[in-house]
Amino acid sequence: MTVTLHVCITCRAGQTLGEGEVTPGKRLHGAILEAGVPEGVTVVPVECLSACSQGCSVALSAPGRWSYVYGRLSDANAQDVVAGAAAYAAASDGLVPWRSRPEIFRKQSLARIPPIAVLPEAAE
């Protein structure tokens, strides 16, 4: 099962950017790709995760697992994001033990979302 790591590439992290400047979110995305994406993880750039006041943000999700949104990140955190994504991918339910999480995933979690239940089709 593939885990998706969404990276907000439009995030400005509270900065005013000049024309042609790369957003901090795009820098984070690039640094994550350079750090090496773990097996079973797909990195998807997204336009916005609606965590604008929380700096750069990422979200981890997979079918049937808890999902997480993390914020207050920068390209300097790419290695920790990759390590956290690998730990998440190894956890069958998405619940990584507290001590096994990178420090940024312990302290910079913005949201934890329960698995979305698949409801049977309504009988006709």
Side-chain angles (χ1 to χ4, degrees), residues 58-75:
V58 300
L60 279 166
S61 62
R65 297 184 190 197
W66 284 81
S67 297
Y68 291 87
V69 180
Y70 298 99
R72 300 181 298 281
L73 303 171
S74 75
D75 53 333

Side-chain angles (χ1 to χ4, degrees), residues 22-124:
V22 176
T23 64
K26 281 187 182 176
R27 288 196 305 266
L28 174 59
H29 179 256
I32 289 169
L33 295 177
E34 285 180 23
V37 180
E39 187 174 327
V41 176
T42 301
V43 177
V44 176
V46 294
E47 291 285 321
C48 185
L49 289 173
S50 290
C52 303
S53 66
Q54 298 296 321
C56 293
S57 58
V58 300
L60 279 166
S61 62
R65 297 184 190 197
W66 284 81
S67 297
Y68 291 87
V69 180
Y70 298 99
R72 300 181 298 281
L73 303 171
S74 75
D75 53 333
N77 301 121
Q79 289 287 347
D80 287 333
V81 171
V82 167
Y88 180 85
S92 62
D93 56 3
L95 297 173
V96 178
W98 180 258
R99 294 184 191 271
S100 299
R101 298 176 194 173
E103 186 174 347
I104 62 167
F105 277 20
R106 287 185 232 151
K107 295 184 175 183
Q108 293 167 217
S109 177
L110 303 180
R112 182 175 107 148
I113 304 157
I116 296 172
V118 177
L119 301 175
E121 297 272 335
E124 292 187 31

Side-chain angles (χ1 to χ4, degrees), residues 3-17:
V3 166
T4 303
L5 173 62
H6 304 273
V7 182
C8 178
I9 59 170
T10 55
C11 181
R12 295 174 181 252
Q15 299 176 15
T16 302
L17 302 175

